[in-house]
Amino acid sequence: MNAPVVDVSIEDQVRSVRTGSTTATELVSRARTAIDAQEPVLQAWVQLSSTTAEDVATIDADRRDLPLRGISVGVKDLIDVAGMPTRAGSPVTSAAAAVADAPCVERLRSLGAVVQGKTVTTEFGYFRPGPTRNPHAPEHTPGGSSSGSAAAVGAGTVPLALGTQTAGSLTRPASYCGTAGLVLAHGSTEMAGIVGLSDSLDSLGLLTRTVADLRYVHDAFLGSAAAVQSGLPECAFVWGGSYLGYLDPPMIALLGRLPSVLAGLGLHSEMLDWDDHVQTLAEDHATIMAFEAARTRAREFERRRDGLSPQIRDLLQQGQTISVSDHTAALIRRDRSRELLGEILDGSSLIVGPAATGPAPKGLSATGSPILSRAWQLLGLPVVIVPGARTTAGLPLGIQLVGLPGREDDLFEVGERLEAILRESPPLDE
């Protein structure tokens, strides 16, 4: 699928509106045209908004200096948008429209963004896939659960989309669809108005075309003071995946390039020797997710069991077998590991590793494995997904940068520089 990506940064698009070179209405209209052109194949959207014309007219009339003026956004269908239902990818949810925006949507609107509609999600953010296709290879999965959001941005139809992550729901689709992504640190933003699976794990995320766009939106969304401005960190720990799953040859080759690439950026690097902890964290993540999902979604499970997908039913059944003591023990191990990793990173280092086990697998019946995100998601850490690398077949490969809360600027600084190198690097053999 040829992507009509407009190679203009979000900041420059907003500047063009500010200087009168274009209008917010024109930006939003071009996005809707791109959506309409690609949707028959991409199938990234659950429902498109019928009020974009009115919404953008209000923005064009607003004289304030809005940092996202006229920027179109897709909203994952786990997140409330006023006037549209939140179906969460499931037939058991209500078709009634949400009466108010989730705070994250309200915040984007206050910055001048225009909601184009709701994007496809897997059921309740778990494994049953929707109809969305990968924008770079329609016969391949876009990943999940933020599948529609990642595909829409990867296809160039919108410059910004909201996603969520409980396991690998944003990291993996960003990697597969060739977008930049940010998983916000757990607890750093309000999660009201968002259908979740696990209070201990659910996080909000952003998807954009580039890391530079991601940084710009993050700073507008949370305020630039939310991150410590520090330049390059002192050290990067290269993480090889801790033997959690089989890595495809192109991802192995990409990891092999990282030490020299990081050295070229002026970063000292060393391997992260933490495999035992990561493996335990991945197991504990699965325990906590199942335990909390069984209780969060208990109503749907009890009242509408037959309407749920086999994947969700299996998760909830598994969660019901987990004891309170096992759940508590997993949380205690999480807290101790968080302290230990804080000592390793020492406030000024980050982790660089694979965002997925490889390129997007062929087929639409599954969404790929989230295994490489589980440990970092359990720790509640901010993660930036860096696009740019590709296989010889043209499939994207993503790298994830993991850091401590409050050090997001380190991730953006390294991510922008790393992305530039990856985009110019030779493709990796399948």
Side-chain angles (χ1 to χ4, degrees):
M1 182 186 301
N2 294 321
V5 174
V6 178
D7 291 327
V8 178
S9 70
I10 289 177
E11 185 174 11
D12 284 344
Q13 290 181 54
V14 174
R15 184 179 294 113
S16 72
V17 177
R18 185 182 301 126
T19 60
S21 299
T22 188
T23 65
T25 296
E26 289 169 345
L27 286 182
V28 170
S29 177
R30 287 203 291 268
R32 180 57 66 93
T33 298
I35 291 169
D36 290 341
Q38 294 215 52
E39 187 58 10
V41 174
L42 195 64
Q43 298 184 59
W45 300 85
V46 175
Q47 182 179 345
L48 293 172
S49 172
S50 61
T51 65
T52 53
E54 295 91 333
D55 295 343
V56 75
T58 300
I59 290 168
D60 266 332
D62 193 326
R63 295 297 134 204
R64 291 176 298 163
D65 188 15
L66 301 173
L68 295 180
R69 183 185 295 274
I71 298 303
S72 290
V73 59
V75 178
K76 183 177 181 179
D77 194 29
L78 294 178
I79 304 171
D80 285 348
V81 172
M84 305 178 77
T86 302
R87 299 306 306 271
S90 178
V92 307
T93 52
S94 171
V99 298
D101 289 333
C104 57
V105 174
E106 183 180 14
R107 173 62 176 163
L108 289 177
R109 288 198 204 265
S110 75
L111 298 171
V114 176
V115 174
Q116 286 282 357
K118 305 293 289 291
T119 57
V120 171
T121 176
T122 60
E123 186 178 35
F124 292 114
Y126 200 55
F127 281 128
R128 183 172 73 174
T132 308
R133 295 171 177 268
N134 191 298
H136 304 281
E139 69 278 14
H140 290 243
T141 178
S145 62
S146 302
S147 44
S149 288
V153 173
T157 59
V158 289
L160 170 64
L162 284 174
T164 64
Q165 178 153 298
T166 305
S169 293
L170 188 137
T171 304
R172 188 168 76 262
S175 181
Y176 288 172
C177 294
T179 76
L182 169 67
V183 181
L184 290 160
H186 190 267
S188 64
T189 190
E190 192 171 351
M191 295 294 287
I194 300 176
V195 177
L197 276 177
S198 166
D199 288 344
S200 298
L201 301 172
D202 296 333
S203 296
L204 185 68
L206 304 170
L207 294 137
T208 61
R209 187 174 60 88
T210 66
V211 177
D213 280 353
L214 199 63
R215 186 183 210 165
Y216 179 82
V217 174
H218 168 269
D219 287 354
F221 186 77
L222 290 181
S224 57
V228 177
Q229 304 293 320
S230 58
L232 283 176
E234 294 179 2
C235 175
F237 290 93
V238 178
W239 175 60
S242 297
Y243 309 101
L244 292 173
Y246 172 80
L247 298 184
D248 292 339
M251 183 58 78
I252 294 173
L254 178 56
L255 294 178
R257 291 181 182 177
L258 284 182
S260 62
V261 170
L262 294 169
L265 294 178
L267 268 173
H268 168 73
S269 67
E270 56 186 82
M271 295 302 295
L272 179 67
D273 183 16
W274 219 51
D275 290 344
D276 288 347
H277 278 278
V278 171
Q279 291 164 7
T280 299
L281 286 165
E283 294 171 359
D284 285 341
H285 175 282
T287 295
I288 291 167
M289 183 176 178
F291 178 90
E292 295 186 3
R295 286 143 185 86
T296 301
R297 302 264 66 91
R299 183 176 180 182
E300 287 88 352
F301 182 55
E302 293 169 0
R303 295 180 58 189
R304 309 199 64 175
R305 174 190 176 96
D306 292 342
L308 293 168
S309 65
Q311 296 95 323
I312 282 286
R313 291 202 302 268
D314 289 347
L315 175 69
L316 300 180
Q317 287 174 336
Q318 177 190 351
Q320 290 179 332
T321 69
I322 296 171
S323 68
V324 172
S325 61
D326 285 343
H327 176 255
T328 301
L331 291 174
I332 291 171
R333 286 190 292 271
R334 175 204 64 184
D335 293 345
R336 179 57 181 149
S337 292
R338 188 183 287 153
E339 293 174 2
L340 292 173
L341 188 63
E343 295 171 4
I344 293 170
L345 298 183
D346 195 26
S348 58
S349 301
L350 52 76
I351 298 166
V352 185
T357 57
K362 190 172 184 178
L364 301 175
S365 62
T367 60
S369 171
I371 190 65
L372 296 180
S373 298
R374 287 187 182 273
W376 316 122
Q377 189 66 19
L378 176 55
L379 294 176
L381 303 177
V383 176
V384 166
I385 299 87
V386 181
R390 288 182 179 270
T391 70
T392 50
L395 292 172
L397 291 165
I399 291 294
Q400 63 176 322
L401 308 181
V402 184
L404 298 177
R407 306 295 302 192
E408 286 82 356
D409 200 63
D410 291 347
L411 306 182
F412 295 135
E413 191 68 31
V414 173
E416 285 189 46
R417 301 187 193 198
L418 181 58
E419 179 183 356
I421 294 173
L422 293 179
R423 290 193 184 279
E424 296 298 323
S425 298
L428 296 130
D429 292 333
E430 293 277 354

